Amino acid sequence: SEKKPREPQIPRSLIKEIFRHFAKMPVTRDAFQIVEKCSERYFKQLSNDLEAYTHHAGRKTVEAADLEVLMRRQGLVTDKMPMNVLIERFLPLEYRMLLIPVAVGGNKVIPCK
Amino acid sequence: MAAAGAEERQVLAQRLKAAVHYTVGCLCQEVEEDKDVQFSKQTIAAISEITFRQCEIFAKDLEMFARHAKRTTVTTEDVKLLARRSNSLLKYITQKSEELASSNMEQKEKKRKKSSAAKGERTPGEQEAAVTENEDSNMA
């Protein structure tokens, strides 16, 4: 049996886990399938938007600033809810370390910007 | 000093709201004639309030888009980006901006002839944009 090449996607188990964590109630199998479809759609939309914002800034590389503009437009990042607060709240420690500058010993700031 | 400024701002906001309200009334009248329906006064007031608050959102977004492109001036590109999410609206806005650009070119060629005719034919979108720009300059 040969596998046909599928589109890359977020693993189902991960989507399930995250959705279950936030839903806090039983979710049927069909509902999970719909959530999966929605995630796919979401990524399509996301890439289109990021392309537009990056192009708008006259760049060809997507940067953190583009993502922040996108999240502001989505109403996730506001004046009362800065990006860093969201990062602190939703990302595990090792990713937070990569995103939020932290001063460490030896007068170094990680990530170095 | 600060209180006086706040009061002034409030008066200005009232004035802007009144202007929006008047325009919305005119537009609603047009729709009434077109669609043969009646708008109650409350409806018109509600629409103008919605428009006014939407302008705040527009102003903030436009400011953000301009800053994102490392500009301090809001251009038509920012407005297009604002309307990107809805295809039909984007088409409409793009068409309008092209019309504006061509008319601007003509005006430049004519060396600033009196453009009272162009000013009389303002579309609602343009008017909103004008109000938004007004707000934008106030917010800056």
Side-chain angles (χ1 to χ4, degrees), chain A residues 11-79:
Chain A
R12 277 183 196 167
S13 54
L14 182 64
I15 294 178
K16 266 189 182 172
E17 197 185 321
I18 294 169
F19 194 74
R20 205 176 270 135
H21 171 79
F22 285 108
K24 295 192 184 76
M25 58 172 82
V27 183
T28 59
R29 193 178 294 239
D30 321 2
F32 274 129
Q33 273 183 344
I34 293 169
V35 170
E36 250 175 71
K37 282 265 188 307
C38 289
S39 309
E40 236 171 86
R41 276 273 178 90
Y42 175 74
F43 276 100
K44 282 202 175 84
Q45 174 79 264
L46 188 87
S47 44
N48 282 337
D49 287 352
L50 283 175
E51 190 186 8
Y53 296 143
T54 309
H55 196 77
H56 185 74
R59 282 187 268 103
K60 284 187 175 164
T61 316
V62 179
E63 286 182 8
D66 302 316
L67 209 73
E68 190 162 346
V69 166
L70 178 79
M71 284 172 85
R72 253 185 205 281
R73 247 281 36 222
Q74 289 173 343
L76 295 168
V77 176
T78 55
D79 296 341

Side-chain angles (χ1 to χ4, degrees), chain B residues 58-59 61-67 71-79 132-133 136-137:
Chain B
F58 281 163
D61 279 353
L62 286 169
E63 216 181 324
M64 178 177 73
F65 288 145
R67 209 175 321 130
R71 282 189 267 101
T72 49
T73 319
V74 175
T75 64
T76 47
E77 287 304 308
D78 300 318
V79 181
T132 314
E133 275 173 7
D136 214 37
S137 59

Side-chain angles (χ1 to χ4, degrees), chain B residues 90-126:
Chain B
L90 181 61
K91 225 187 224 168
Y92 182 80
I93 297 261
T94 312
Q95 194 190 326
K96 279 283 167 220
S97 81
E98 275 167 12
E99 278 174 30
L100 270 173
S102 59
S103 72
N104 278 350
M105 289 290 281
E106 275 175 32
Q107 269 178 23
K108 273 182 186 168
E109 279 168 27
K110 282 179 183 174
K111 290 256 166 98
R112 301 220 167 189
K113 236 173 123 181
K114 275 192 182 174
S115 57
S116 54
K119 274 220 172 96
E121 295 173 349
R122 266 201 155 169
T123 60
E126 275 180 77

